Amino acid sequence: KILTHGILVALISKIGVNLLLIKYLGLIGASWATVFSLSLMLGYVLIRLPKQLQVVLLPWRLCLKMTGHLLIMAGLVKFITYITTLIIGQDRLSSIIVISVGSIVGGLVFICLSVWQQTLTDKEWELLPKGADIIELTKKLRKKDAIR
């Protein structure tokens, strides 16, 4: 029931925010609308959880680390997309390239920061796509550092 209500909150907010932001920001506005509506859904679900689960699911150190990772990622992606747009222009094909480059850079930055800061446990990594590969790569890199 909580999740269903959270999804409805996200859907309604996404429609409303999309109508507003796409008009002014285009495709980037749609992306921000998605981030905003999913954040609203997460907040709604977390607030509606029983207090015992909130304590388990809301470790503040993890939340702070993840927020830091996201802010660093957002800044770097903004910088990369700005530079890429200056280099290749702003037509439709260029926009696809800029979005692709920004997405790849964002994902890699977030993964690298999470591995470097040891933000997620192995069990948490396993829940993510290619998480097992990331765990294996991390173990190999740590072994190399230990040998040196």
Side-chain angles (χ1 to χ4, degrees):
K1 185 175 178 181
I2 294 171
L3 187 57
T4 303
H5 290 141
I7 290 171
L8 287 173
V9 166
L11 181 64
I12 292 167
S13 68
K14 173 118 169 89
I15 291 168
V17 176
N18 255 346
L19 292 173
L20 179 67
L21 292 182
I22 289 176
K23 182 177 179 181
Y24 297 104
L25 300 174
L27 189 57
I28 298 295
S31 298
W32 280 112
T34 300
V35 169
F36 176 77
S37 61
L38 289 175
S39 298
L40 267 180
M41 181 181 84
L42 177 64
Y44 178 84
V45 169
L46 289 175
I47 288 170
R48 299 287 303 208
L49 283 174
K51 294 293 180 197
Q52 298 89 345
L53 283 177
Q54 285 182 6
V55 170
V56 172
L57 295 176
L58 286 175
W60 291 107
R61 286 179 94 177
L62 175 65
C63 291
L64 288 174
K65 277 186 176 181
M66 292 296 241
T67 301
H69 295 351
L70 290 172
L71 290 173
I72 292 168
M73 179 193 74
L76 284 172
V77 167
K78 181 69 176 167
F79 177 74
I80 294 294
T81 55
Y82 176 75
I83 296 299
T84 308
T85 301
L86 287 178
I87 293 170
I88 64 174
Q90 290 185 320
D91 59 21
R92 285 183 189 215
L93 178 60
S94 299
S95 295
I96 292 170
I97 293 169
V98 168
I99 290 169
S100 299
V101 168
S103 299
I104 291 167
V105 167
L108 289 174
V109 166
F110 188 80
I111 289 169
C112 289
L113 285 171
S114 296
V115 167
W116 177 56
Q117 290 287 308
Q118 298 177 356
T119 306
L120 302 175
T121 66
D122 286 353
K123 286 183 181 182
E124 291 167 332
W125 277 114
E126 288 172 358
L127 296 172
L128 300 173
K130 299 290 185 187
D133 295 338
I134 294 170
I135 293 168
E136 189 177 319
L137 178 62
T138 304
K139 287 179 180 176
K140 285 180 184 176
L141 290 173
R142 287 194 186 127
K143 244 185 207 178
K144 280 186 179 180
D145 282 344
I147 292 172
R148 290 181 189 174

